[in-house]
Amino acid sequence: PVTVGGQAPAFNVTSIWAYRDISRQTTFDYDSSNLFITHLASYQKQVSYSQELQILSPDGGAIEWLAGLYAFGARNAFDPLRVFAIMPDVMGTQQVTYGASRTRALAAYGQGSYRLTDVMRLTAGVRYNHERKKLVESRVLYPDANIEIDYPLGATSWKNVSPKVALEYFKNAYR
Protein backbone atom coordinates (compact mmCIF):
# COMPACT_ATOMS: atom_id res chain seq x y z
CA PRO A 1 0.00 0.00 0.00
CA VAL A 2 0.96 3.59 -0.59
CA THR A 3 -0.07 6.13 2.04
CA VAL A 4 0.05 9.89 1.51
CA GLY A 5 -1.04 12.42 4.10
CA GLY A 6 -1.23 16.10 4.77
CA GLN A 7 -2.27 18.51 7.49
CA ALA A 8 -4.38 21.64 7.48
CA PRO A 9 -5.30 23.75 10.50
CA ALA A 10 -8.81 22.27 10.79
CA PHE A 11 -8.20 18.67 9.65
CA ASN A 12 -5.74 16.04 8.45
CA VAL A 13 -6.06 14.11 5.18
CA THR A 14 -4.79 10.60 4.43
CA SER A 15 -5.03 8.68 1.17
CA ILE A 16 -4.23 4.96 1.08
CA TRP A 17 -3.90 3.21 -2.29
CA ALA A 18 -3.05 -0.41 -3.13
CA TYR A 19 -2.81 -2.49 -6.31
CA ARG A 20 -2.08 -6.20 -6.61
CA ASP A 21 -1.59 -8.32 -9.73
CA ILE A 22 -1.00 -12.02 -9.09
CA SER A 23 -0.58 -14.86 -11.56
CA ARG A 24 -0.05 -18.32 -10.14
CA GLN A 25 0.37 -21.77 -11.59
CA THR A 26 -0.14 -24.78 -9.35
CA THR A 27 0.21 -28.48 -10.09
CA PHE A 28 -0.94 -31.15 -7.71
CA ASP A 29 -0.88 -34.94 -7.63
CA TYR A 30 -4.55 -35.32 -6.75
CA ASP A 31 -4.48 -39.05 -5.96
CA SER A 32 -1.41 -38.69 -3.66
CA SER A 33 0.31 -41.76 -5.02
CA ASN A 34 3.50 -42.45 -6.95
CA LEU A 35 1.38 -43.23 -10.02
CA PHE A 36 -0.02 -40.69 -12.47
CA ILE A 37 -3.69 -41.45 -11.88
CA THR A 38 -5.23 -38.05 -11.24
CA HIS A 39 -3.40 -34.74 -11.69
CA LEU A 40 -4.57 -31.16 -11.24
CA ALA A 41 -3.11 -28.07 -12.93
CA SER A 42 -4.42 -24.65 -11.99
CA TYR A 43 -3.71 -21.28 -13.57
CA GLN A 44 -5.04 -18.45 -11.44
CA LYS A 45 -5.06 -14.72 -12.07
CA GLN A 46 -6.09 -12.02 -9.62
CA VAL A 47 -6.01 -8.27 -10.00
CA SER A 48 -7.26 -6.00 -7.23
CA TYR A 49 -7.10 -2.38 -6.20
CA SER A 50 -8.28 -0.30 -3.28
CA GLN A 51 -8.42 3.41 -2.55
CA GLU A 52 -9.31 5.03 0.76
CA LEU A 53 -9.57 8.72 1.55
CA GLN A 54 -9.76 9.77 5.20
CA ILE A 55 -10.37 13.20 6.68
CA LEU A 56 -9.51 13.36 10.39
CA SER A 57 -9.76 15.96 13.10
CA PRO A 58 -6.50 17.30 14.54
CA ASP A 59 -5.19 15.28 17.50
CA GLY A 60 -5.65 16.32 21.09
CA GLY A 61 -9.07 17.97 21.18
CA ALA A 62 -12.01 16.99 23.39
CA ILE A 63 -13.90 16.12 20.21
CA GLU A 64 -12.24 13.91 17.58
CA TRP A 65 -13.86 12.91 14.30
CA LEU A 66 -13.11 10.89 11.20
CA ALA A 67 -14.84 10.63 7.82
CA GLY A 68 -13.87 8.57 4.83
CA LEU A 69 -14.58 6.93 1.52
CA TYR A 70 -13.37 3.50 0.43
CA ALA A 71 -13.41 1.72 -2.95
CA PHE A 72 -12.31 -1.81 -3.84
CA GLY A 73 -12.32 -3.76 -7.07
CA ALA A 74 -11.07 -7.21 -8.05
CA ARG A 75 -11.12 -9.75 -10.85
CA ASN A 76 -10.34 -13.39 -10.09
CA ALA A 77 -10.08 -16.14 -12.67
CA PHE A 78 -9.19 -19.76 -13.25
CA ASP A 79 -7.71 -19.74 -16.70
CA PRO A 80 -8.13 -22.75 -16.67
CA LEU A 81 -8.30 -25.38 -13.94
CA ARG A 82 -7.49 -28.77 -15.49
CA VAL A 83 -8.00 -32.22 -14.00
CA PHE A 84 -6.34 -35.11 -15.84
CA ALA A 85 -7.13 -38.76 -15.15
CA ILE A 86 -5.40 -41.80 -16.55
CA MET A 87 -8.59 -43.86 -16.33
CA PRO A 88 -11.14 -42.41 -18.74
CA ASP A 89 -14.76 -42.23 -17.78
CA VAL A 90 -17.75 -41.36 -19.94
CA MET A 91 -16.49 -37.77 -20.30
CA GLY A 92 -12.88 -38.72 -21.13
CA THR A 93 -9.54 -38.24 -19.45
CA GLN A 94 -9.65 -34.54 -18.64
CA GLN A 95 -11.91 -31.81 -17.35
CA VAL A 96 -11.13 -28.14 -18.01
CA THR A 97 -12.89 -25.49 -15.92
CA TYR A 98 -12.94 -21.77 -16.68
CA GLY A 99 -14.32 -19.32 -14.17
CA ALA A 100 -14.02 -15.61 -13.51
CA SER A 101 -15.64 -13.17 -11.14
CA ARG A 102 -15.58 -9.45 -10.49
CA THR A 103 -16.07 -7.61 -7.21
CA ARG A 104 -16.81 -3.94 -6.71
CA ALA A 105 -17.25 -2.42 -3.25
CA LEU A 106 -17.85 1.13 -2.05
CA ALA A 107 -18.11 2.44 1.48
CA ALA A 108 -18.60 5.75 3.26
CA TYR A 109 -18.12 6.18 6.98
CA GLY A 110 -18.01 8.73 9.76
CA GLN A 111 -17.25 8.61 13.45
CA GLY A 112 -17.05 11.10 16.28
CA SER A 113 -15.66 10.79 19.80
CA TYR A 114 -16.18 13.03 22.81
CA ARG A 115 -13.88 12.89 25.82
CA LEU A 116 -16.19 12.80 28.85
CA THR A 117 -13.36 12.66 31.42
CA ASP A 118 -9.63 11.98 31.44
CA VAL A 119 -10.37 8.24 31.46
CA MET A 120 -13.66 7.96 29.55
CA ARG A 121 -14.69 8.60 25.94
CA LEU A 122 -18.04 8.26 24.11
CA THR A 123 -17.84 7.29 20.42
CA ALA A 124 -20.60 7.08 17.80
CA GLY A 125 -20.34 6.35 14.10
CA VAL A 126 -21.89 4.80 11.03
CA ARG A 127 -20.60 2.95 7.94
CA TYR A 128 -22.47 2.39 4.68
CA ASN A 129 -21.32 -0.46 2.39
CA HIS A 130 -22.45 -1.39 -1.11
CA GLU A 131 -20.90 -4.46 -2.72
CA ARG A 132 -21.52 -6.22 -6.01
CA LYS A 133 -20.16 -9.62 -7.09
CA LYS A 134 -20.57 -10.81 -10.65
CA LEU A 135 -19.80 -14.19 -12.20
CA VAL A 136 -18.50 -13.27 -15.66
CA GLU A 137 -17.37 -16.70 -16.88
CA SER A 138 -18.26 -20.23 -15.81
CA ARG A 139 -17.91 -23.23 -18.09
CA VAL A 140 -16.57 -26.76 -18.07
CA LEU A 141 -15.07 -28.55 -21.05
CA TYR A 142 -14.60 -32.27 -21.57
CA PRO A 143 -12.28 -32.21 -24.62
CA ASP A 144 -12.18 -35.98 -25.12
CA ALA A 145 -15.98 -36.13 -25.35
CA ASN A 146 -16.28 -32.82 -27.25
CA ILE A 147 -18.66 -31.47 -24.59
CA GLU A 148 -18.85 -27.91 -23.27
CA ILE A 149 -21.18 -26.93 -20.45
CA ASP A 150 -21.86 -23.24 -19.86
CA TYR A 151 -23.17 -22.41 -16.42
CA PRO A 152 -25.52 -19.48 -15.81
CA LEU A 153 -23.80 -16.18 -15.18
CA GLY A 154 -25.18 -13.79 -12.66
CA ALA A 155 -24.61 -11.04 -10.19
CA THR A 156 -25.62 -10.21 -6.69
CA SER A 157 -25.26 -7.07 -4.65
CA TRP A 158 -26.00 -5.98 -1.15
CA LYS A 159 -26.03 -2.86 0.95
CA ASN A 160 -25.51 -2.48 4.65
CA VAL A 161 -25.56 0.29 7.23
CA SER A 162 -23.51 -0.45 10.36
CA PRO A 163 -23.96 1.91 13.32
CA LYS A 164 -21.55 2.02 16.24
CA VAL A 165 -21.84 3.38 19.76
CA ALA A 166 -19.15 2.78 22.37
CA LEU A 167 -18.29 4.00 25.84
CA GLU A 168 -14.56 3.52 26.39
CA TYR A 169 -12.79 3.45 29.72
CA PHE A 170 -9.01 3.86 29.91
CA LYS A 171 -7.08 2.60 32.93
CA ASN A 172 -4.67 5.53 32.58
CA ALA A 173 -5.56 9.02 31.43
CA TYR A 174 -6.59 9.25 27.75
CA ARG A 175 -4.02 11.05 25.58
Side-chain angles (χ1 to χ4, degrees):
V2 176
T3 303
V4 178
Q7 295 180 337
F11 58 89
N12 300 325
V13 176
T14 302
S15 177
I16 305 166
W17 181 84
Y19 176 82
R20 181 170 64 177
D21 188 341
I22 298 172
S23 294
R24 182 172 82 174
Q25 179 178 344
T26 304
T27 56
F28 181 69
D29 181 8
Y30 207 61
D31 59 85
S32 301
S33 74
N34 293 332
L35 303 173
F36 185 83
I37 297 173
T38 307
H39 182 77
L40 179 132
S42 171
Y43 304 92
Q44 295 173 285
K45 174 84 172 155
Q46 180 191 51
V47 175
S48 65
Y49 68 88
S50 64
Q51 170 65 52
E52 184 168 6
L53 178 65
Q54 298 177 341
I55 301 173
L56 304 96
S57 64
D59 294 335
I63 297 175
E64 294 179 343
W65 53 267
L66 162 73
L69 299 171
Y70 177 78
F72 173 82
R75 179 176 167 89
N76 300 294
F78 283 109
D79 196 19
L81 172 70
R82 294 179 186 268
V83 178
F84 303 93
I86 197 167
M87 300 178 64
D89 60 12
V90 175
M91 298 297 202
T93 59
Q94 62 178 310
Q95 172 186 325
V96 183
T97 303
Y98 291 87
S101 65
R102 285 193 198 129
T103 302
R104 302 254 192 277
L106 299 171
Y109 55 90
Q111 174 176 299
S113 297
Y114 178 69
R115 188 173 6 165
L116 299 170
T117 69
D118 285 345
V119 295
M120 197 170 297
R121 178 173 68 181
L122 178 64
T123 300
V126 66
R127 180 181 179 100
Y128 170 78
N129 291 306
H130 179 215
E131 187 163 338
R132 177 179 168 88
K133 289 194 176 280
K134 184 175 183 180
L135 185 61
V136 294
E137 182 179 23
S138 182
R139 61 193 167 104
V140 177
L141 306 171
Y142 297 94
D144 298 338
N146 199 25
I147 295 174
E148 180 175 339
I149 302 170
D150 289 316
Y151 289 95
L153 304 179
T156 186
S157 66
W158 57 93
K159 300 173 184 174
N160 185 49
V161 175
S162 304
K164 171 186 177 176
V165 176
L167 182 61
E168 298 172 277
Y169 171 77
F170 301 93
K171 184 176 178 180
N172 299 317
Y174 177 72
R175 295 179 234 156

